[in-house]
Amino acid sequence: MDVVLTGSAGFIGSHVAEALTAAGHRVRGLDPRTGGGAGADVRDAAAVAELLDGADAVCHQAALVGLGVDVSDLPAYTSVNVQGTAVLLAEMARAGVGALVLASSMVVYGEGAYTCGRHGPVRPGPRPEEALRAGRFEPGCPRCGAALEPGAVAEDAAPDPRNVYADTKLAQEHLAASWARMTGGSVTALRYHNVYGPRMPRDTPYAGVAALFRSRLLAGLEPLVFEDGAQRRDFVHVRDVARANVLALERTTAARAPGAEGAPEGPGRGGLRAYNIASGEPRTIAEMAAALAEAFGGPAPRVTGGHRAGDVRHIVARPDRARRELGFSAAVAFADGMREFARRPVTEGSR
């Protein structure tokens, strides 16, 4: 299969390229960080059109990542993530390429799943700034204010983005769904949870939390943990994420083959199907920081009590759909992955 891979030189994209090649597929990379004809931006319609000629499918990894620093980031995020995706989809329609795997994100959910003892499942709103400043980090029931029990979020949860990056990732899903309806295309959206591993970018405020902790350790400094460190996330290794992309591409293109009956659930023509790509084994930020510091042999993390605008408290996944429909389960154990990440260099760059 000939696969156009955007963001092919990035953290996740470079691993996806390797996984696709190992599976016997031919990769046509598109990334401004590479040389030659492939060294183009996803917003470059002519370059995208040239790569799409004769392609079987597209794996769209290119994105500006991170929560954003302030409102001045809005134009950059919308230009790369929204306009870039729109250009790609328009050129796919012209080229007749009908299979797309889209790198989406857990951030489209906002806060994760919560249950109130009195009111059942609820979706708390953004946490008030005054509560965060006072060290009250747990969201309360939006109806009675009582303490909530966090749970695991499934793909049918209503989206509730809380920052500019999340807004643009949800916009990508919406654009891809519209493209699928208009063209009969098939979209598989992989909602990555906290991805970590080799080649993760460093020394940038847009990097993931694992990379930020690793950069502190490299400088001989303790990792700085926001809030009280009890916020829960799902950390998934980049090689597992790359494997999920291969499985999704193969499943999506197989479902489109002439005479294919397809499955009652899964990616199909004219629609978008989303999957949580996660380990299914949540950890707190403090646990992750401690595991990384121990594996690195550096100073223990320091809990600061600080906070960032747009952060959510708990977001962990229910990965059952990916296991059932794509055959995906995370294979890299948390302890093994953190040991490897602690010992391998991280690099400049992004997804």
Side-chain angles (χ1 to χ4, degrees):
M1 180 164 58
D2 284 304
V3 180
V4 171
L5 173 62
T6 71
S8 57
F11 163 46
I12 297 176
S14 63
H15 286 276
V16 173
E18 291 174 354
L20 284 168
T21 301
H25 303 297
R26 295 170 295 279
V27 175
R28 305 177 180 186
L30 179 73
D31 196 299
R33 291 161 291 196
T34 60
D41 193 288
V42 71
R43 293 166 290 184
D44 183 340
V48 171
E50 182 177 355
L51 275 180
L52 285 169
D53 185 24
D56 298 303
V58 172
C59 184
H60 184 29
Q61 305 292 319
L64 184 60
V65 301
L67 297 185
V69 174
D70 55 41
V71 71
S72 66
D73 286 326
L74 282 166
Y77 273 86
T78 54
S79 177
V80 175
N81 297 357
V82 181
Q83 177 65 12
T85 300
V87 169
L88 175 66
L89 293 170
E91 295 305 323
M92 287 179 66
R94 292 189 182 97
V97 179
L100 172 66
V101 172
L102 172 66
S104 188
S105 173
M106 67 175 189
V107 296
V108 303
Y109 297 120
E111 286 284 355
Y114 292 87
T115 301
C116 172
R118 180 179 177 186
H119 296 107
V122 294
R123 295 295 299 273
R127 295 175 293 169
E129 179 68 22
E130 57 271 21
L132 295 172
R133 284 198 301 265
R136 299 193 303 273
F137 301 121
E138 293 289 345
C141 175
R143 299 178 63 183
C144 67
L148 299 174
E149 180 66 28
V153 67
E155 291 87 350
D156 57 359
D160 186 17
R162 301 289 176 90
N163 56 66
V164 59
Y165 174 60
D167 292 333
T168 61
K169 296 309 287 185
L170 184 58
Q172 287 183 325
E173 288 196 15
H174 286 166
L175 287 169
S178 293
W179 166 84
R181 287 192 296 270
M182 289 187 289
T183 66
S186 302
V187 183
T188 301
L190 303 180
R191 291 175 177 167
Y192 303 156
H193 284 249
N194 286 71
V195 186
Y196 74 97
R199 305 174 206 154
M200 199 172 188
R202 59 169 292 185
D203 297 334
T204 164
Y206 303 95
V209 65
L212 295 176
F213 291 166
R214 176 69 153 68
S215 293
R216 294 275 301 180
L217 290 165
L218 282 168
L221 302 171
E222 74 272 43
L224 299 179
V225 179
F226 283 175
E227 301 186 15
D228 58 1
Q231 54 272 50
R232 296 165 72 241
R233 298 291 189 271
D234 189 305
F235 296 95
V236 58
H237 196 277
V238 66
R239 286 196 298 273
D240 282 328
V241 170
R243 184 165 50 84
N245 275 271
V246 175
L247 291 169
L249 278 163
E250 292 175 345
R251 177 68 179 270
T252 304
T253 53
R256 297 183 56 79
E261 296 181 4
E265 294 181 302
R269 293 178 182 269
L272 179 148
R273 186 75 164 167
Y275 296 90
N276 286 324
I277 302 302
S279 72
E281 298 179 356
R283 310 276 174 166
T284 68
I285 296 293
E287 287 173 337
M288 188 275 284
L292 186 59
E294 181 180 3
F296 188 86
R302 176 162 60 89
V303 176
T304 68
H307 63 276
R308 294 190 305 175
D311 267 350
V312 297
R313 181 61 174 172
H314 304 295
I315 174 68
V316 298
R318 189 177 300 163
D320 303 355
R321 180 185 289 180
R323 182 173 57 250
R324 183 176 67 247
E325 298 180 15
L326 300 180
F328 170 78
S329 294
V332 179
F334 176 78
D336 294 339
M338 284 294 158
R339 279 193 295 270
E340 178 198 28
F341 181 56
R343 297 167 185 168
R344 293 278 294 275
V346 287
T347 60
E348 301 292 343
S350 64
R351 184 166 74 214

